[in-house]
């Protein structure tokens, strides 16, 4: 049985009625307003509400950013996110909280207690690809509005392909993951498949309401525009290789990243569990013994 409360449902059910993409397009425009009086005030208010640590960014004044989105996707000083010193370890791709972490049961992953979703649905109905992750490992990391919003490689890898999957833009906050069935397989998302020394790895960038854009370092802005068809792009012949800890993309507002590994390739750390806070660069797994 799902453990969502009445309060969770009361906050989540109205989301079904909202024009997700229209609201996100409006947020896209607002977060790129360059008028100093607006964007500086917007940044200041946001910083106060979410207690932003101004000691971490490379630029540390509202005036230093051309618009709110530049602040939201701000770069950090390298020393504040050191990579785990064990070069064999798999590191967190993002700042955030672990929503769920564990093993894929055949093709089923846990969204929340009482709610599962499948790799086949998550990967856009690509059954052949989903089969490659059968009985594999997964983790879901939620990025709140206060978090650092650049995404990095958990391990070095060569980009094989991406799959753009259209969908809704439900909130991915904890109360909605406990309430809306199949949330991550219903929202718009970009799947990036990498070849690594420990088999294939999938990084799934899940869009959400007010996530006005998802971008990658190799293709730039992926959304918007928001499409209506699944789009597969083959990168095998472009030799795009990203090192462990290297930036691979970013969210232009908060969302969720899901990491998939194949069976018997890696083991999550025993001391990590749902709701644990993680920082980009921290060790979250080791190669399977």
């Amino acid at each position: 049985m799902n453990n969502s409360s009445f309060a969770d449902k009361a906050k989540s059910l109205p989301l079904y009625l909202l024009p997700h993409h229209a609201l996100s397009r409006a947020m896209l425009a607002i977060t790129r307003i360059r008028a100093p009086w607006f964007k500086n005030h917007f940044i200041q208010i946001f910083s106060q509400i979410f207690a932003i640590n101004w000691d971490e960014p490379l630029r540390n004044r509202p005036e230093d950013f051309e618009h709110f989105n530049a602040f939201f996707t701000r770069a950090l000083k390298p020393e504040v996110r050191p990579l785990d010193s064990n070069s064999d370890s798999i590191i967190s791709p993002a700042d955030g909280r672990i929503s769920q972490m564990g093993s894929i049961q055949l093709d089923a992953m846990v969204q929340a207690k009482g709610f599962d979703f499948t790799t086949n649905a998550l990967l856009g109905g690509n059954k052949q690809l989903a089969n490659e992750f059968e009985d594999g490992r997964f983790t879901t990391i939620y990025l709140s509005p206060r978090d650092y919003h650049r995404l990095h490689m958990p391990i070095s890898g060569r980009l094989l392909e991406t799959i753009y999957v259209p969908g809704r833009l439900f909130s991915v906050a904890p109360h909605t993951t406990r309430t809306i069935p199949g949330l991550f397989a219903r929202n718009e998302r970009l799947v990036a498949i990498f070849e690594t020394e420990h088999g294939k790895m999938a990084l799934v960038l899940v869009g959400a309401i007010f996530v006005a854009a998802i971008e990658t370092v190799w293709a730039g802005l992926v959304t918007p525009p928001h499409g209506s068809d699944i789009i597969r792009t083959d990168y095998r012949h472009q030799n795009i290789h990203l090192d462990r800890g290297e930036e691979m993309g970013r969210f232009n507002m908060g969302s969720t990243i899901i990491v998939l590994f194949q069976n018997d390739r890696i083991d999550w750390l025993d001391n990590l569990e749902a709701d644990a806070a993680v920082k980009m660069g921290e060790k979250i797994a080791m190669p399977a013994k």
Side-chain angles (χ1 to χ4, degrees):
M1 175 178 288
N2 180 258
N3 66 343
S4 61
S5 66
F6 176 80
D8 288 341
K9 293 176 181 176
K11 287 187 288 186
S12 300
L13 292 181
L15 289 171
Y16 284 95
L17 305 177
L18 293 177
H20 296 174
H21 289 89
L23 289 172
S24 293
R25 286 194 297 271
M27 182 60 72
L28 177 73
I30 292 170
T31 57
R32 285 159 177 77
I33 293 174
R34 288 175 165 78
W37 67 268
F38 177 84
K39 60 95 176 176
N40 291 344
H41 191 54
F42 192 179
I43 292 171
Q44 289 168 350
I45 292 175
F46 183 93
S47 299
Q48 292 170 2
I49 292 174
F50 292 102
I52 300 301
N53 182 357
W54 281 97
D55 292 331
E56 294 187 337
L58 280 173
R59 295 180 288 173
N60 54 18
R61 301 182 308 157
E63 295 79 10
D64 294 334
F65 298 95
E66 60 179 329
H67 45 55
F68 178 83
N69 187 68
F71 156 75
F72 195 84
T73 58
R74 59 197 175 274
L76 301 184
K77 299 171 184 174
E79 63 269 21
V80 303
R81 292 293 182 276
L83 304 187
D84 182 68
S85 59
N86 185 339
S87 60
D88 292 329
S89 68
I90 291 85
I91 60 174
S92 175
D95 286 12
R97 286 191 175 274
I98 294 172
S99 177
Q100 295 292 334
M101 171 180 273
S103 298
I104 302 169
Q105 303 300 317
L106 292 179
D107 73 340
M109 293 175 283
V110 177
Q111 172 181 306
K113 186 177 180 181
F115 284 156
D116 292 345
F117 63 105
T118 68
T119 51
N120 185 43
L122 181 69
L123 301 177
N126 189 327
K127 184 63 175 175
Q128 180 179 349
L129 181 60
N131 287 343
E132 297 189 56
F133 291 96
E134 186 173 291
D135 293 323
R137 305 291 181 268
F138 83 98
T139 187
T140 305
I141 300 175
Y142 166 67
L143 290 74
S144 73
R146 70 174 297 177
D147 288 319
Y148 169 60
H149 277 81
R150 298 192 182 193
L151 307 171
H152 297 253
M153 293 289 289
I155 186 174
S156 298
R158 181 173 71 93
L159 181 65
L160 299 179
E161 67 174 323
T162 62
I163 307 168
Y164 165 77
V165 187
R168 298 295 302 274
L169 289 173
F170 288 106
S171 165
V172 291
H175 67 271
T176 52
T177 61
R178 294 190 295 263
T179 304
I180 297 177
L183 175 64
F184 300 126
R186 297 170 73 170
N187 273 15
E188 180 180 58
R189 56 203 177 275
L190 181 75
V191 180
I193 305 297
F194 291 88
E195 179 181 65
T196 80
E197 62 180 309
H198 301 303
K200 283 188 178 179
M201 172 185 70
L203 300 180
V204 185
L205 284 60
V206 183
I209 196 164
F210 299 135
V211 178
I214 294 172
E215 57 185 287
T216 64
V217 297
W218 58 85
L221 200 61
V222 177
T223 65
H226 305 284
S228 56
D229 298 313
I230 293 175
I231 301 173
R232 294 185 66 175
T233 306
D234 193 325
Y235 287 96
R236 287 172 176 81
H237 302 297
Q238 295 192 32
N239 196 30
I240 298 173
H241 186 277
L242 299 177
D243 291 333
R244 173 179 177 264
E246 189 172 351
E247 183 182 344
M248 60 79 58
R250 62 185 68 172
F251 288 123
N252 293 250
M253 293 301 278
S255 196
T256 287
I257 182 169
I258 302 174
V259 183
L260 306 180
F261 281 97
Q262 294 177 292
N263 186 28
D264 294 331
R265 303 305 177 97
I266 64 103
D267 292 318
W268 302 123
L269 298 186
D270 291 337
N271 63 340
L272 290 178
E273 58 186 13
D275 205 40
V278 290
K279 297 287 188 184
M280 193 288 292
E282 291 181 349
K283 178 168 62 175
I284 59 173
M286 289 295 295
K289 296 180 180 178

